[in-house]
Amino acid sequence: MKKRLLTLALALCLCLTLLPTGAVAAPVSYVALGDSIAAGYGLVGYAGDYSNPSGCFPALIAQAQGYSLNNLAISGDDTSDLLEKMQTSRYQNALKNADVISVTIGSNDLLVTTVNLLMEHLGVSHEDLAGLGQAGVMDDVSQVTGILQDIGSYLASGEVKSVLDAAVAGFYTNWDTIMSTLQGWNPDARVVVTNYYNPYKLFDINFGALSMNVGSLGQGYLDQMNAYITASPYNGSYYTIADVTAVTTNVKLDLSAIMSAMMTGQTPDLSGALNVDPHPDAAGHAYIAEKLLAVLNPVSFSDVADADWYAPAVYYAANNGLVVGYEDETFRPDSNMTIAAYMTVLYRYARAAAGTGIPEKQTTGTNWAEAANWVNSFLLDGKYPNLDANMTRYQMAEITAKVLQTVSTLTGKTLNTRSTHGFTDVPAGSSHYAAVAYLESVYGIDGNPTGDGSYTFLGDNSIRRSEVAQVVYNIMTKSAG
């Protein structure tokens, strides 16, 4: 009897070894590195280090993909802190065995340095900050204005510039060390990094004679950091960037309400008048997760080969959620695009770039034309009565120019420009000249070379979907890049 049981057990073991590996495969291991953004600071369920609230973007990604998540992000960490933690066995074991790694680190290299400089300049400590909402601390309008003007001048000073320049230089060094270390440990991992959004880009202070955009004070440094990780040799060869620069936060400052309370001897309600929290809310985390998922699940079209001239533009626009294909998994690059479809593409770009400055409209489903109708009505004064018509190149230029100018106005950011060669078939003074010339100047179009050094635009021709993708690609990577 005993012998028969041993034989049966052996047979079962042999059967188990013959099972398909997928039947017992371990879930994909996902490690999230980063700071308070990846840690989910401020979300429901956040309880400090390693608490991993369900609404943070790493948790949303893990849920969507079926990954096994190890969220190692720590609030307050900068790149130096991450390098130090990477020397521990906990981090090394996780990273060496990870299938997917996301990296959201570097914001504190700049933010913490700036905050510390300001506190030293103002002569306040972290403990002092708790008393700033008390009545009587600043009970004069000119005092408040003076302090804010002093802060703006100080942040623009040479003293601050030298310190922040050094902080960004340190970030560059640490970034390279982090990536070289990760690649040495785990060269086959799928690595996605997030770039840097400006949490204060929509934070305007208008009080008396004072007018200041807080975000503009640090935008240049964020641009440098984004440019560095984009130009890095590890970009493309080891990691892929998820573009989250369009993330918006809920920062605000209602000085009128604060001063009104102070001047009447009351304690101002800062919860309703002041919010300087740079972290994304639940909607912001969902947006970041969407951007990372687009990188992790790249789009593929059966009729767009890698060798096609338009392939980089088509896949860039598709993976950034600006253009979509058809249910049969084709893109149909040689098909014409309707006015409504193109307005929808540009609406997606404008909404991502300007955030809440552009109202939310449907771009998919049965009401997909809602966004196009809004663009036509509110940006173009209803100029195009037939949105189902195929779009000409002239119409594309006019619509694009208007949307780009609107986004630039809403965000306060000037697009990159260049000198232009012009087009022989779009003479100066013609009705289409301004829009075409503007779009060429911001890298949107190049035109068709004639062979003698001149270019044509062929404005009355219908524009193909592949050409639209190229225009969008130019806008994203050159105009606003």
Side-chain angles (χ1 to χ4, degrees):
M1 182 68 175
K2 182 177 180 181
K3 184 175 181 180
R4 289 175 63 189
L5 289 174
L6 290 172
T7 303
L8 179 60
L10 179 61
L12 287 171
C13 290
L14 289 172
C15 288
L16 288 173
T17 63
L18 295 175
L19 284 174
T21 56
V24 293
V28 172
S29 173
Y30 167 34
V31 174
L33 299 176
D35 49 31
S36 54
I37 298 173
Y41 180 90
L43 296 178
V44 174
Y46 177 81
D49 295 349
Y50 310 118
S51 57
N52 191 40
S54 60
C56 70
F57 77 81
L60 296 174
I61 291 169
Q63 181 181 17
Q65 298 288 93
Y67 292 165
S68 174
L69 171 62
N70 186 357
N71 193 340
L72 298 178
I74 300 295
S75 295
D77 273 7
D78 59 18
T79 53
S80 295
D81 296 318
L82 176 56
L83 280 172
E84 183 177 341
K85 289 182 172 65
M86 287 172 64
Q87 303 309 308
T88 66
S89 58
R90 176 176 186 172
Y91 278 67
Q92 289 187 21
N93 291 337
L95 293 168
K96 290 177 181 179
N97 294 288
D99 300 302
V100 176
I101 301 171
S102 66
V103 183
T104 303
I105 196 73
S107 295
N108 286 327
D109 291 55
L110 187 63
L111 182 61
V112 172
T113 301
T114 303
V115 170
N116 289 338
L117 283 170
L118 273 176
M119 292 178 66
E120 181 179 353
H121 175 69
L122 296 173
V124 299
S125 65
H126 288 283
E127 290 75 18
D128 294 329
L129 294 179
L132 288 181
Q134 298 174 0
V137 173
M138 292 180 291
D139 56 5
D140 182 78
V141 173
S142 61
Q143 183 182 4
V144 175
T145 304
I147 290 175
L148 291 174
Q149 288 175 329
D150 174 59
I151 289 174
S153 298
Y154 177 66
L155 290 177
S157 68
E159 175 187 351
V160 171
K161 182 179 184 301
S162 63
V163 175
L164 294 183
D165 284 347
V168 172
F171 161 80
Y172 295 161
T173 300
N174 289 345
W175 182 264
D176 291 343
T177 304
I178 290 169
M179 291 305 155
S180 63
T181 303
L182 289 176
Q183 188 175 46
W185 287 348
N186 196 340
D188 297 322
R190 294 190 66 186
V191 181
V192 183
V193 307
T194 56
N195 54 12
Y196 306 101
Y197 67 88
N198 188 337
Y200 303 115
K201 62 186 174 185
L202 301 180
F203 192 7
D204 295 317
I205 298 177
N206 296 295
F207 187 71
L210 177 65
S211 179
M212 176 194 305
N213 177 264
V214 177
S216 65
L217 300 174
Q219 186 62 54
Y221 289 103
L222 291 172
D223 290 343
Q224 292 176 39
M225 293 165 67
N226 282 329
Y228 188 83
I229 68 172
T230 300
S232 168
Y234 295 101
N235 182 21
S237 64
Y238 186 58
Y239 65 71
T240 305
I241 297 174
D243 182 6
V244 300
T245 54
V247 168
T248 56
T249 58
N250 297 313
V251 296
K252 64 177 179 179
L253 175 61
D254 187 350
L255 276 174
S256 297
I258 294 174
M259 287 304 303
S260 177
M262 287 182 172
M263 296 179 72
T264 56
Q266 302 175 25
T267 299
D269 179 13
L270 294 186
S271 64
L274 175 65
N275 180 8
V276 294
D277 185 356
H279 300 94
D281 58 13
H285 276 270
Y287 176 82
I288 296 173
E290 178 185 332
K291 289 297 184 179
L292 269 76
L293 287 169
V295 172
L296 292 168
N297 302 308
V299 176
S300 178
F301 299 116
S302 60
D303 56 350
V304 179
D306 290 342
D308 292 332
W309 68 265
Y310 45 77
V314 168
Y315 284 124
Y316 182 93
N319 284 317
N320 279 277
L322 299 178
V323 300
V324 295
Y326 293 88
E327 292 182 356
D328 61 358
E329 298 184 357
T330 62
F331 183 72
R332 305 179 191 176
D334 292 326
S335 296
N336 295 327
M337 179 168 275
T338 66
I339 297 172
Y342 186 60
M343 286 181 175
T344 303
V345 170
L346 287 188
Y347 169 85
R348 294 184 183 119
Y349 161 75
R351 174 73 177 172
T356 55
I358 300 292
E360 185 173 1
K361 301 294 179 181
Q362 293 294 315
T363 62
T364 58
T366 57
N367 294 324
W368 71 269
E370 184 180 58
N373 288 325
W374 181 85
V375 170
N376 187 42
S377 297
F378 289 92
L379 299 188
L380 294 158
D381 297 322
K383 181 173 183 176
Y384 298 95
N386 183 11
L387 298 186
D388 292 328
N390 287 336
M391 181 175 61
T392 68
R393 294 163 67 88
Y394 277 140
Q395 291 169 334
M396 178 277 297
E398 181 177 52
I399 296 167
T400 308
K402 184 62 177 179
V403 171
L404 290 181
Q405 290 163 353
T406 299
V407 169
S408 181
T409 299
L410 289 172
T411 62
K413 295 183 66 175
T414 303
L415 298 178
N416 299 326
T417 59
R418 62 176 175 178
S419 58
T420 60
H421 49 63
F423 305 101
T424 57
D425 55 349
V426 188
S430 64
S431 60
H432 302 292
Y433 176 79
V436 173
Y438 172 79
L439 192 55
E440 184 194 1
S441 72
V442 295
Y443 294 88
I445 54 175
D446 294 313
N448 306 287
T450 61
D452 62 0
S454 63
Y455 293 79
T456 58
F457 184 62
L458 307 178
D460 289 319
N461 290 2
S462 294
I463 192 165
R464 295 176 295 174
R465 289 170 56 84
S466 56
E467 295 170 325
V468 164
Q470 187 64 52
V471 172
V472 171
Y473 177 80
N474 292 345
I475 292 169
M476 295 286 287
T477 62
K478 299 177 183 178
S479 304

